[in-house]
Amino acid sequence: MANVLATVDQRTKLVGENRLELLLFSINSTQLFAINVFKVKEVVKLPPLNAMPGSHPHIYGVANIRGISIPVIDLRSAIGFKPVPPDDDANMIITEYNRSVQGFLVGKVEHIINMTWSDIMPPPKTAGRNNYLTAITRIEHQGKSQLVSIIDVEKVLAEIIHYDISLSEGVLDETLVHEMPGRKILIVDDSSTARRQVRETLSQLGIEIIEASDGLQALNLLQKWRDEGKQVSKELLMMITDAEMPEMDGYKLTSEVRGDKAMSDLYITLNTSLSGSFNHAMVEKVGCDKFISKFQPDLLVEVVQERLRQVINH
């Protein structure tokens, strides 16, 4: 199974072309689930695990992979299914999110599929707010059309790991405090958990937050303002966007904004759980102003303050 990801480093050209690759897997006998390949470091057969007394109920144990201890999350129980003991098909998907490495206990790992973000749809609104999906898609699998549910890993992790939104002493620039109320920031992210983390962090400053759940929704809003005669860069202090989203990813969104003279000067920060130098290269390629890896409240506030200083001193 390890060789299924052998060429993952060569796949980066897909990002920025509004394309993605999904790793398909099962956690029960009837449904297919997926996560983005770019967040996957490795897939291995479930190794022997050590118990972690006092840990969260969804932590199944700790794996030792080449001398590194990795907490293993039972994805089945974490997203609301009744936990069952792993069988011979059990695998561990090792991922990197928000600068931390974790393993997910899953069932059979199928294969990787290549998709366009336009083929990826948000979950139905009737699914409610408590579902663990960021998106759904439909594929041909074993000769029939089958629904694939794309896991909101950030929500799963946020329910296990406490993310503190409080700011470190000295981060807040007191000389800017009176400048912040009434400023608007557009947050674009398909994960409601990620949007909430950013919203709650920046709302402490009195900043007004506008939200969009994918790149196309954000672009439509910006174009609506443009068509109404509004100057987008005056309406917004900045836009903070995720990289991977249904219908239109953050790179494509940035490219579309930069290609429109009426809003090309909008300040754009890429805020993503994807790690590595690749993102910095993509930031330069599509023209983002800043890159922040999730979730760092202090750094987020510092970027906002830096932008506010530019606006005030302009």
Side-chain angles (χ1 to χ4, degrees), residues 9 16 28 33 35 56 62 64 100 121 133 150 158 168 184 221 225 269 274 290 304:
D9 289 337
N28 59 26
F33 294 87
I35 60 175
H56 191 280
V62 178
N64 188 294
S100 68
M121 297 296 128
L133 308 181
I150 302 171
S168 302
K184 298 176 183 176
L221 175 62
W225 287 349
T269 294
L274 291 171
K290 281 284 181 181
V304 170

Side-chain angles (χ1 to χ4, degrees), residues 18-297:
N18 214 41
R19 300 188 69 83
L20 78 160
E21 287 187 318
L22 296 174
L23 179 65
L24 301 182
F25 58 89
S26 61
I27 57 175
N28 59 26
S29 59
T30 58
Q31 292 175 269
L32 276 179
F33 294 87
I35 60 175
N36 196 307
V37 165
F38 282 102
K39 294 176 180 176
V40 176
K41 293 172 69 69
E42 194 174 354
V43 178
V44 297
K45 293 299 292 183
L46 184 66
L49 301 180
N50 296 315
M52 186 187 281
S55 62
H56 191 280
H58 297 324
I59 300 288
Y60 197 75
V62 178
N64 188 294
I65 303 294
R66 291 181 291 278
I68 299 172
S69 294
I70 299 175
V72 180
I73 297 165
D74 183 349
L75 191 56
R76 181 185 173 92
S77 66
I79 65 173
F81 289 104
K82 183 179 178 180
V84 295
D87 57 21
D88 292 341
D89 283 335
N91 287 275
M92 183 172 75
I93 301 175
I94 303 173
T95 65
E96 184 172 359
Y97 281 82
N98 302 356
R99 296 162 293 113
S100 68
V101 176
Q102 54 285 130
F104 289 99
L105 167 59
V106 301
K108 184 179 179 183
V109 174
E110 297 283 345
H111 54 274
I112 290 172
I113 56 170
N114 186 323
M115 308 282 290
T116 70
W117 277 110
S118 57
D119 295 326
I120 310 296
M121 297 296 128
K125 290 183 174 153
T126 51
R129 292 186 176 181
N130 294 323
N131 73 84
Y132 288 88
L133 308 181
T134 56
I136 57 174
T137 191
R138 190 167 284 279
I139 66 164
E140 288 297 316
H141 181 66
Q142 296 178 346
K144 61 180 181 180
S145 177
Q146 190 163 349
L147 194 69
V148 177
S149 301
I150 302 171
I151 300 287
D152 185 349
V153 177
E154 285 166 304
K155 178 170 179 167
V156 173
L157 292 177
E159 293 182 356
I160 296 172
I161 305 164
H162 174 65
Y163 291 102
D164 189 358
I165 65 164
S166 60
L167 303 177
S168 302
E169 186 175 350
V171 169
L172 190 60
D173 185 341
E174 297 296 338
T175 66
L176 294 175
V177 169
H178 68 285
E179 293 280 357
M180 294 180 182
R183 304 279 182 178
K184 298 176 183 176
I185 291 178
L186 174 61
I187 302 172
V188 192
D189 202 304
D190 60 332
S191 170
S192 59
T193 297
R195 294 198 307 273
R196 175 176 55 77
Q197 289 169 340
V198 176
R199 180 179 69 244
E200 291 180 355
T201 301
L202 298 183
S203 293
Q204 299 176 94
L205 312 182
I207 290 173
E208 181 182 336
I209 301 300
I210 302 165
E211 297 183 36
S213 58
D214 63 64
L216 185 58
Q217 189 182 102
L219 183 63
N220 288 340
L221 175 62
L222 296 175
Q223 290 173 337
K224 177 175 175 286
W225 287 349
R226 177 202 64 194
D227 295 344
E228 290 171 352
K230 295 178 180 178
Q231 192 172 342
V232 170
S233 60
K234 296 291 185 185
E235 288 289 317
L236 295 173
L237 180 65
M238 65 197 307
M239 177 171 72
I240 300 172
T241 180
D242 188 19
E244 308 165 280
M245 295 175 289
E247 302 202 67
M248 180 180 290
D249 67 25
Y251 304 114
K252 180 70 171 175
L253 169 62
T254 301
S255 179
E256 291 289 330
V257 171
R258 291 289 180 250
D260 188 323
K261 289 183 180 179
M263 51 185 173
S264 60
D265 57 345
L266 177 63
Y267 193 93
I268 302 174
T269 294
L270 189 72
N271 184 40
T272 174
S273 55
L274 291 171
S275 304
S277 58
F278 167 72
N279 267 301
H280 293 281
M282 284 303 303
V283 163
E284 291 186 18
K285 178 180 175 182
V286 301
C288 290
D289 295 285
K290 281 284 181 181
F291 164 77
I292 311 174
S293 59
K294 295 175 180 175
F295 169 66
Q296 303 181 77

